[in-house]
Amino acid sequence: MQWEVVIGLETHAQLNTVTKIFSGAATAYGAEPNTQACAVDLALPGVLPVFNRAAAEKAVRFGLAVGARINRKSVFERKNYFYPDLPKGYQTTQLELPIVAEGGTLRIQVPSTGSGQAYEKDIRITRAHMEEDAGKSLHEDFHGMTGIDLNRAGTPLVEIVTEPDMRSSTEAVAYAKMLHSLVRWIGICDGNMQEGSFRCDANVSVRIKGTDTLGTRCEIKNLNSFKFLEKAIEYEVRRQIELIEDGGRVVQETRLYDPDRDETRSMRSKEEANDYRYFPDPDLLPLVVSDAYIEEIRSALPELPQAKRERFINEYSLPPYDAGVLTSARELADYFEATLRSLLSKGVGILTTPEYPSAEIFAAKITANWVINDLSSALNNASLEIVDSPISSAQLAGLLKRIQDSTISGKIAKEVFAAMWNGEGEADAVIEAKGLKQVSDSGAIEKIIDEIIAANPGQLAEYRSGKDKLFGFFVGQAMKASKGKANPAQLNEILKQKLAG
Amino acid sequence: MSLTLDDVKRIAHLARIEVGESEAQAYLAQLSSIFGLVEEMQAVDTSGIEPMAHAQDVVLRLREDVVSEPNRREACQAVAPQVEAGLYLVPKVIE
């Protein structure tokens, strides 16, 4: 039987405000327990919530970034349940009238898998609402008791809900990554998954391919890494299919993923579940936002990743993959463009090939290659962010300029790059100090080639009798003799002539 | 709509309020009369009227995102039944 997987995601993104959503207590991560939990967060009698305007602004920014309708009036409600990390006995959230209404979409790039090609897909965003986070329960042994830290209680969250539009764990992960990149891009969430700033709940069901009705779903809670999201969905899909094929039925429930055992298990018994008795919070009035307010936020939005990605493809003729990687973070895209601008400002040179019909396109591609490969892997190895790169965009452009004008080959450039990374100065200074300038003097190259040919009469004879593969041998020898500094294009050309005799 | 004694007990349980048998009987009468009032109100034709989320037609006040609450852990924890290592201790929660 052919099964189809149906996934919808609910993502909690912590809004990076300075204070809580309803109190003036700080939200900084990692403070001593309960030092950022004030009377409102502790729900002491007689306190009243006062709403943080930055939370609304950031939620609206998100709604506009995905093209959703913004509710001019949204309402906070109480979701009632008892748990010690929620001192009020209810979570303040939005139900009937969330700040971000329908109409949003997020375009995802689904990478190729073993069998399938890479593709794009639009995931519909149903809604996004503001709510408060709960505190933390520490279950280590405190003489048989539980320790409660309320520093996180009242931290503003935006919960982003999708339609059940994803059809595989790969699509779910692609969506989560794209959303993660977007919330950081627009500056509403730091995206730190280890600290719990971005966590996903996955609604998973299966159905026979070709049917329209949805199967019974299970919700897997609190997945705080892309890897766990993928593994939890894969396990859950296998579990549901096996259950149905063995004649059983899926029961709607909340499940938790256990990464150590790579399985999901039931979290709550159904008894009393979902009786949250929502009602509008009488302590909070409706939040009203004006058209002018919305337009102000819209006009302050940066160029969004999708638009930038498309622009990189159209304006610079970059391959979609390169454009996707470069727009995975705003800082990376900015670095790329700054490097390219700096490189182009040095004069575009004359180097063109059929593959790169203009010098601008060549410059963009070489810049993309260096940012995506050499620079990114060096940053990765050093656990550095792009903003902390020891090589500035202007410095990298200085290096790329010397590749473009054939002062050095791409291979030598890697050596120069390593020296620059180690703080040995600008590209030109390194090239000069190490004597790495490419040899483009045809007389000098001819001399090297003559010597190589003279020293290898056997290979020469074989080559001339039709063993073309030996061309590579001669290139290698000549390059070695020039210590890698011979201009490769020139070397190839002269070598070809000389070998032909 | 009529309320049963079981409904009253269920509501009490959801609110974590201990209600004895005779109290439950009394609340059944009181709650039923509140439901009666709601029913009366629901009979009013409100078509075309936008529902309100609050009894007063005013909007939410917005606060600037600036820290105004200092750390007062010591004072707050002075009245807590049990604390340790800065944490409030509560009966063990089993998930």
Side-chain angles (χ1 to χ4, degrees):
Chain A
M1 205 174 292
Q2 267 260 340
W3 293 93
E4 182 174 55
V5 179
V6 178
I7 304 161
L9 289 185
E10 294 170 17
T11 307
H12 287 92
Q14 239 174 45
L15 296 173
N16 55 357
T17 55
V18 179
T19 63
K20 308 250 170 117
I21 185 167
F22 298 120
S23 85
T27 54
Y29 181 82
E32 282 291 303
N34 293 308
T35 55
Q36 294 177 163
C38 71
V40 173
D41 309 322
L42 297 178
L44 295 186
V47 297
L48 283 173
V50 188
F51 180 68
N52 182 349
R53 66 162 64 234
E57 190 188 311
K58 286 166 196 280
V60 169
R61 206 184 300 166
F62 171 77
L64 295 175
V66 294
R69 187 171 66 77
I70 304 297
N71 270 325
R72 300 303 192 266
K73 185 172 121 180
S74 66
V75 172
F76 286 104
E77 307 206 27
R78 293 185 178 182
K79 177 182 181 179
N80 297 279
Y81 67 93
F82 288 97
Y83 206 79
D85 59 19
L86 186 78
K88 287 187 297 185
Y90 58 85
Q91 180 193 30
T92 308
T93 180
Q94 299 188 304
L95 183 70
E96 291 288 320
L97 286 172
I99 180 96
V100 176
E102 76 291 332
T105 53
L106 192 64
R107 178 160 299 171
I108 63 169
Q109 318 291 328
V110 188
S112 59
T113 52
S115 50
Q117 288 277 304
Y119 57 93
E120 288 188 347
K121 184 171 177 177
D122 286 343
I123 305 299
R124 290 170 297 162
I125 308 233
T126 315
R127 57 180 282 156
H129 60 263
M130 291 180 284
E131 62 186 28
E132 60 183 343
D133 210 342
K136 266 185 190 152
S137 305
L138 296 138
H139 299 289
E140 299 106 75
D141 197 27
F142 291 100
H143 335 291
M145 303 191 75
T146 294
I148 303 290
D149 176 8
L150 295 168
N151 279 352
R152 200 180 62 184
T155 299
L157 303 174
V158 64
E159 179 175 341
I160 301 151
V161 183
T162 73
E163 292 292 308
D165 280 353
M166 288 153 276
R167 294 289 172 271
S168 66
S169 59
T170 312
E171 287 186 4
V173 170
Y175 165 81
K177 284 186 173 169
M178 192 59 82
L179 183 66
H180 183 249
S181 150
L182 179 67
V183 294
R184 284 178 303 152
W185 189 286
I186 59 175
I188 65 165
C189 172
D190 68 19
N192 191 322
M193 297 177 83
Q194 285 83 39
E195 293 174 6
S197 300
F198 187 91
R199 44 195 203 261
C200 295
D201 303 340
N203 283 297
V204 179
S205 64
V206 297
R207 64 182 173 193
I208 292 163
K209 214 177 175 115
T211 47
D212 282 337
T213 49
L214 292 168
T216 306
R217 68 172 191 268
C218 287
E219 183 179 16
I220 316 166
K221 282 263 185 211
N222 268 332
L223 298 160
N224 64 351
S225 86
F226 298 126
K227 197 182 163 91
F228 292 168
L229 174 65
E230 181 173 24
K231 296 206 137 209
I233 291 171
E234 279 167 8
Y235 174 86
E236 184 58 21
V237 166
R238 277 198 308 276
R239 186 187 74 87
Q240 291 186 13
I241 291 174
E242 277 169 26
L243 191 62
I244 299 168
E245 288 186 341
D246 289 348
R249 273 179 55 234
V250 175
V251 180
Q252 185 169 338
E253 62 181 354
T254 306
R255 299 178 71 86
L256 273 184
Y257 176 67
D258 179 347
D260 295 330
R261 300 163 74 171
D262 186 25
E263 62 179 32
T264 64
R265 56 168 195 268
S266 188
M267 182 172 157
R268 319 192 159 122
S269 63
K270 273 196 53 171
E271 193 200 4
E272 319 281 13
N274 298 324
D275 199 345
Y276 293 126
R277 293 151 294 137
Y278 285 91
F279 64 91
D281 192 327
D283 288 344
L284 289 160
L285 295 156
L287 169 66
V288 172
V289 294
S290 68
D291 291 353
Y293 174 84
I294 291 171
E295 284 320 308
E296 198 186 310
I297 294 174
R298 194 197 306 276
S299 64
L301 273 179
E303 184 183 24
L304 296 172
Q306 192 182 316
K308 204 181 271 285
R309 181 175 175 274
E310 278 158 20
R311 184 166 64 76
F312 282 6
I313 294 171
N314 297 329
E315 194 174 319
Y316 304 135
S317 300
L318 285 181
Y321 173 82
D322 290 17
V325 174
L326 291 171
T327 54
S328 60
R330 197 165 147 193
E331 295 78 13
L332 189 65
D334 288 348
Y335 186 99
F336 163 75
E337 286 210 284
T339 308
L340 181 58
R341 263 198 308 278
S342 175
L343 176 58
L344 292 173
S345 74
K346 296 175 195 296
V348 291
I350 49 160
L351 189 55
T352 60
T353 65
E355 202 183 343
Y356 303 113
S358 84
E360 283 86 354
I361 289 173
F362 179 75
K365 180 58 188 165
I366 194 174
T367 305
N369 286 349
W370 276 80
V371 170
I372 291 171
N373 300 318
D374 302 80
L375 181 68
S376 292
S377 62
L379 289 168
N380 236 344
N381 291 338
S383 300
L384 288 174
E385 297 294 322
I386 185 82
V387 288
D388 305 317
S389 170
I391 300 179
S392 71
S393 56
Q395 288 173 318
L396 182 63
L399 171 63
L400 301 183
K401 180 66 197 167
R402 293 299 163 243
I403 302 172
Q404 201 196 26
D405 68 11
S406 300
T407 305
I408 52 173
S409 65
K411 204 171 157 205
I412 291 288
K414 290 184 194 295
E415 199 180 325
V416 179
F417 179 85
M420 292 169 73
W421 182 272
N422 294 327
E424 292 173 37
E426 304 288 321
D428 284 350
V430 173
I431 293 166
E432 192 61 48
K434 298 196 174 227
L436 295 173
K437 207 170 228 169
Q438 183 161 271
V439 177
S440 297
D441 166 8
S442 55
I445 295 173
E446 274 182 52
K447 188 165 166 279
I448 291 167
I449 290 173
D450 287 341
E451 281 165 18
I452 296 294
I453 290 177
N456 296 285
Q459 281 85 349
L460 180 68
E462 278 185 64
Y463 176 85
R464 288 190 172 158
S465 66
K467 208 168 169 193
D468 290 349
K469 272 192 200 152
L470 278 170
F471 186 72
F473 163 79
F474 285 103
V475 172
Q477 292 292 310
M479 263 301 174
K480 208 166 141 192
S482 79
K483 299 194 177 68
K485 291 188 286 186
N487 179 321
Q490 251 177 315
L491 178 77
N492 276 350
E493 198 179 321
I494 299 172
L495 190 59
K496 211 165 260 173
Q497 287 169 6
K498 295 254 178 195
L499 285 175
Chain B
M1 165 172 180
S2 67
L3 214 54
T4 68
L5 202 59
D6 279 346
D7 291 329
V8 174
K9 287 177 180 167
R10 184 175 143 73
I11 294 162
H13 174 68
L14 283 170
R16 301 295 186 273
I17 297 171
E18 197 179 343
V19 173
E21 204 58 39
S22 60
E23 279 176 308
Q25 286 289 352
Y27 287 137
L28 176 59
Q30 290 172 6
L31 286 171
S32 292
S33 86
I34 292 174
F35 270 90
L37 176 65
V38 171
E39 252 168 52
E40 223 173 289
M41 290 194 293
Q42 273 182 334
V44 178
D45 180 11
T46 55
S47 53
I49 298 172
E50 195 190 337
M52 293 170 76
H54 198 273
Q56 280 182 298
D57 194 13
V58 277
V59 301
L60 191 62
R61 191 161 73 86
L62 306 179
R63 167 177 63 80
E64 292 303 322
D65 186 22
V66 177
V67 176
S68 58
E69 293 288 343
N71 171 24
R72 270 188 254 162
R73 185 172 78 180
E74 218 172 302
C76 291
Q77 296 201 332
V79 294
Q82 228 179 320
V83 293
E84 188 177 314
L87 300 165
Y88 294 92
L89 294 191
V90 299
K92 194 154 191 82
V93 183
I94 297 153
E95 187 76 348

